[in-house]
PDB file of all heavy atoms in Angstrom:
ATOM      1  N   GLN Q 144       3.105  24.010  28.690  1.00 95.00           N
ATOM      2  CA  GLN Q 144       1.924  24.211  27.965  1.00 95.00           C
ATOM      3  C   GLN Q 144       1.258  22.745  27.702  1.00 95.00           C
ATOM      4  O   GLN Q 144       0.042  22.630  27.909  1.00 95.00           O
ATOM      5  CB  GLN Q 144       2.094  24.856  26.668  1.00 95.00           C
ATOM      6  CG  GLN Q 144       2.687  26.295  26.745  1.00 95.00           C
ATOM      7  CD  GLN Q 144       1.858  27.263  27.412  1.00 95.00           C
ATOM      8  OE1 GLN Q 144       0.666  26.965  27.653  1.00 95.00           O
ATOM      9  NE2 GLN Q 144       2.372  28.404  27.890  1.00 95.00           N
ATOM     10  N   ILE Q 145       2.045  21.821  27.307  1.00 97.00           N
ATOM     11  CA  ILE Q 145       1.473  20.462  27.188  1.00 97.00           C
ATOM     12  C   ILE Q 145       0.954  19.957  28.533  1.00 97.00           C
ATOM     13  O   ILE Q 145      -0.159  19.383  28.588  1.00 97.00           O
ATOM     14  CB  ILE Q 145       2.561  19.472  26.642  1.00 97.00           C
ATOM     15  CG1 ILE Q 145       2.997  19.884  25.219  1.00 97.00           C
ATOM     16  CG2 ILE Q 145       2.066  18.056  26.628  1.00 97.00           C
ATOM     17  CD1 ILE Q 145       1.891  19.720  24.075  1.00 97.00           C
ATOM     18  N   GLY Q 146       1.715  20.211  29.603  1.00 96.00           N
ATOM     19  CA  GLY Q 146       1.227  19.801  30.832  1.00 96.00           C
ATOM     20  C   GLY Q 146      -0.066  20.394  31.304  1.00 96.00           C
ATOM     21  O   GLY Q 146      -0.983  19.761  31.843  1.00 96.00           O
ATOM     22  N   PHE Q 147      -0.276  21.752  31.027  1.00 96.00           N
ATOM     23  CA  PHE Q 147      -1.528  22.417  31.301  1.00 96.00           C
ATOM     24  C   PHE Q 147      -2.695  21.750  30.528  1.00 96.00           C
ATOM     25  O   PHE Q 147      -3.758  21.620  31.000  1.00 96.00           O
ATOM     26  CB  PHE Q 147      -1.473  23.894  30.945  1.00 96.00           C
ATOM     27  CG  PHE Q 147      -0.440  24.649  31.821  1.00 96.00           C
ATOM     28  CD1 PHE Q 147       0.213  25.756  31.285  1.00 96.00           C
ATOM     29  CD2 PHE Q 147      -0.130  24.367  33.098  1.00 96.00           C
ATOM     30  CE1 PHE Q 147       1.191  26.469  32.003  1.00 96.00           C
ATOM     31  CE2 PHE Q 147       0.764  25.059  33.849  1.00 96.00           C
ATOM     32  CZ  PHE Q 147       1.409  26.131  33.325  1.00 96.00           C
ATOM     33  N   GLY Q 148      -2.372  21.438  29.227  1.00 97.00           N
ATOM     34  CA  GLY Q 148      -3.402  20.803  28.420  1.00 97.00           C
ATOM     35  C   GLY Q 148      -3.778  19.407  28.996  1.00 97.00           C
ATOM     36  O   GLY Q 148      -4.929  19.016  28.964  1.00 97.00           O
ATOM     37  N   ASP Q 149      -2.785  18.637  29.435  1.00 98.00           N
ATOM     38  CA  ASP Q 149      -2.974  17.336  29.993  1.00 98.00           C
ATOM     39  C   ASP Q 149      -3.886  17.442  31.269  1.00 98.00           C
ATOM     40  O   ASP Q 149      -4.735  16.633  31.547  1.00 98.00           O
ATOM     41  CB  ASP Q 149      -1.778  16.627  30.326  1.00 98.00           C
ATOM     42  CG  ASP Q 149      -0.946  16.250  29.083  1.00 98.00           C
ATOM     43  OD1 ASP Q 149      -1.520  16.273  27.971  1.00 98.00           O
ATOM     44  OD2 ASP Q 149       0.199  15.865  29.241  1.00 98.00           O
ATOM     45  N   ALA Q 150      -3.617  18.502  32.068  1.00 97.00           N
ATOM     46  CA  ALA Q 150      -4.490  18.688  33.337  1.00 97.00           C
ATOM     47  C   ALA Q 150      -5.908  19.000  32.872  1.00 97.00           C
ATOM     48  O   ALA Q 150      -6.847  18.501  33.573  1.00 97.00           O
ATOM     49  CB  ALA Q 150      -3.852  19.843  34.101  1.00 97.00           C
ATOM     50  N   ALA Q 151      -6.146  19.768  31.860  1.00 98.00           N
ATOM     51  CA  ALA Q 151      -7.517  20.083  31.378  1.00 98.00           C
ATOM     52  C   ALA Q 151      -8.172  18.841  30.879  1.00 98.00           C
ATOM     53  O   ALA Q 151      -9.380  18.577  31.127  1.00 98.00           O
ATOM     54  CB  ALA Q 151      -7.475  21.142  30.362  1.00 98.00           C
ATOM     55  N   LEU Q 152      -7.405  18.061  30.174  1.00 98.00           N
ATOM     56  CA  LEU Q 152      -7.928  16.777  29.641  1.00 98.00           C
ATOM     57  C   LEU Q 152      -8.401  15.869  30.851  1.00 98.00           C
ATOM     58  O   LEU Q 152      -9.532  15.239  30.776  1.00 98.00           O
ATOM     59  CB  LEU Q 152      -6.862  16.086  28.795  1.00 98.00           C
ATOM     60  CG  LEU Q 152      -7.167  14.674  28.243  1.00 98.00           C
ATOM     61  CD1 LEU Q 152      -8.403  14.649  27.417  1.00 98.00           C
ATOM     62  CD2 LEU Q 152      -5.978  14.179  27.494  1.00 98.00           C
ATOM     63  N   GLU Q 153      -7.606  15.850  31.825  1.00 98.00           N
ATOM     64  CA  GLU Q 153      -7.937  14.982  33.010  1.00 98.00           C
ATOM     65  C   GLU Q 153      -9.218  15.574  33.691  1.00 98.00           C
ATOM     66  O   GLU Q 153     -10.096  14.826  34.187  1.00 98.00           O
ATOM     67  CB  GLU Q 153      -6.808  14.927  33.947  1.00 98.00           C
ATOM     68  CG  GLU Q 153      -7.042  13.959  35.150  1.00 98.00           C
ATOM     69  CD  GLU Q 153      -7.317  12.514  34.731  1.00 98.00           C
ATOM     70  OE1 GLU Q 153      -6.695  12.105  33.705  1.00 98.00           O
ATOM     71  OE2 GLU Q 153      -8.146  11.859  35.374  1.00 98.00           O
ATOM     72  N   GLU Q 154      -9.366  16.958  33.737  1.00 98.00           N
ATOM     73  CA  GLU Q 154     -10.483  17.513  34.346  1.00 98.00           C
ATOM     74  C   GLU Q 154     -11.772  17.209  33.581  1.00 98.00           C
ATOM     75  O   GLU Q 154     -12.828  17.037  34.130  1.00 98.00           O
ATOM     76  CB  GLU Q 154     -10.303  19.090  34.364  1.00 98.00           C
ATOM     77  CG  GLU Q 154     -11.233  19.797  35.270  1.00 98.00           C
ATOM     78  CD  GLU Q 154     -10.993  19.434  36.775  1.00 98.00           C
ATOM     79  OE1 GLU Q 154      -9.837  19.353  37.179  1.00 98.00           O
ATOM     80  OE2 GLU Q 154     -11.990  19.362  37.444  1.00 98.00           O
TER      81      GLU Q 154
END
Side-chain angles (χ1 to χ4, degrees):
Q144 300 296 345
I145 294 292
F147 295 149
D149 291 347
L152 175 59
E153 187 58 33
E154 197 65 41

